[in-house]
Amino acid sequence: MAGAKYPSSGTVAAEPGPIDLDWPATALLIIDMQRDFMEPGGFGETLGNDVSQLARAVKPIAAVLDAARDSGMLVVHTREGHLPDLSDAPPAKIDRGAPSLRIGDPGPMGRILIRGEAGHDIIPALYPLDGEIVIDKPGKGAFYATELGDVLEKYGIENLLVCGVTTEVCVNTTVREANDRGYRCVVLADGCASYFPEFHEMGLKMIKAQGGIFGWVSDSAAVIAAMTPEISKISAAGGSR
């Protein structure tokens, strides 16, 4: 990690307990912060959800993303979506429920949840920089039918800072997949969100239950404090005067 203000390791305050992270072996994984889920007219709204519920995660993610970029940490973005011919979209997924528009149907931001359409892309506030890795995934989990595992192995990644939407679906699925592959996951509670606040709460509880059965739960401030301990001490001292 570049810059004197960023140590090579740090201890993140988390539940069920603090976790020591080697920053060069850690990546920031941002799950599905896409217009189709975050904005009116996208897939999330077609399912009858209040998409404004997800907005609360944007600023905390942006803060950690800025710190990660400044430090030189590996940043990985994911996008859920399908090929234009829907050959990677199982009929059971397309036909499930009673949305107003189904996957592949024309919507206000192009075809719903289709790669290359405007709605499939990441929101401007968190848009990837040139050179940042973007993983396109056809399922809920970021490892299924993607190159994510190969990417993390290439960069020597052992730990994942996980955030994004939604807490109980794509974030939880990815954390479970990562846990089975031996990665240590720290989920940022304020950097995740759900259309259903109670699902967000329970999704986090499931991750940290039984001594951290799937991983740890922390927040953006704790992660940034662990990445920049000297700056955090100075800020805290200044604020106490």
Side-chain angles (χ1 to χ4, degrees), residues 26-47:
T26 301
L28 175 62
L29 181 59
I30 305 175
I31 305 292
D32 298 0
M33 296 298 286
Q34 299 162 245
R35 298 182 65 194
D36 257 330
F37 297 127
M38 304 291 297
E39 297 181 4
F43 186 58
E45 190 174 72
T46 75
L47 296 171

Side-chain angles (χ1 to χ4, degrees), residues 37-190:
F37 297 127
M38 304 291 297
E39 297 181 4
F43 186 58
E45 190 174 72
T46 75
L47 296 171
N49 297 311
D50 176 7
V51 296
S52 68
Q53 291 287 339
L54 305 188
R56 67 191 68 189
V58 175
K59 286 186 178 180
I61 294 175
V64 176
L65 178 57
D66 285 345
R69 286 170 170 168
D70 196 26
S71 72
M73 180 182 289
L74 180 69
V75 175
V76 180
H77 307 259
T78 74
R79 299 182 297 200
E80 182 182 350
H82 298 281
L83 299 172
D85 64 2
L86 297 178
S87 59
D88 60 350
K93 181 178 183 180
I94 297 174
D95 296 338
R96 189 174 302 135
S100 59
L101 293 173
R102 294 193 179 276
I103 295 172
D105 287 346
M109 295 182 286
R111 293 178 67 200
I112 296 290
L113 221 62
I114 296 298
R115 297 180 188 181
E117 301 286 352
H120 175 257
D121 214 353
I122 294 168
I123 60 172
L126 301 173
Y127 206 78
L129 297 179
D130 290 342
E132 289 182 347
I133 296 167
V134 179
I135 301 288
D136 283 319
K137 60 188 185 70
K140 308 298 189 229
F143 288 88
Y144 169 68
T146 76
E147 67 275 26
L148 178 59
D150 292 335
V151 168
L152 299 180
E153 182 178 1
K154 173 184 175 181
Y155 286 93
I157 299 301
E158 300 172 358
N159 316 302
L160 298 173
L161 302 175
V162 186
C163 53
V165 298
T166 61
T167 313
E168 77 280 9
V169 182
C170 293
V171 171
N172 228 285
T173 303
T174 297
V175 168
R176 291 169 185 238
E177 289 180 329
N179 176 72
D180 281 345
R181 289 163 172 78
Y183 295 98
R184 301 194 305 164
C185 295
V186 179
V187 179
L188 308 185
D190 59 343

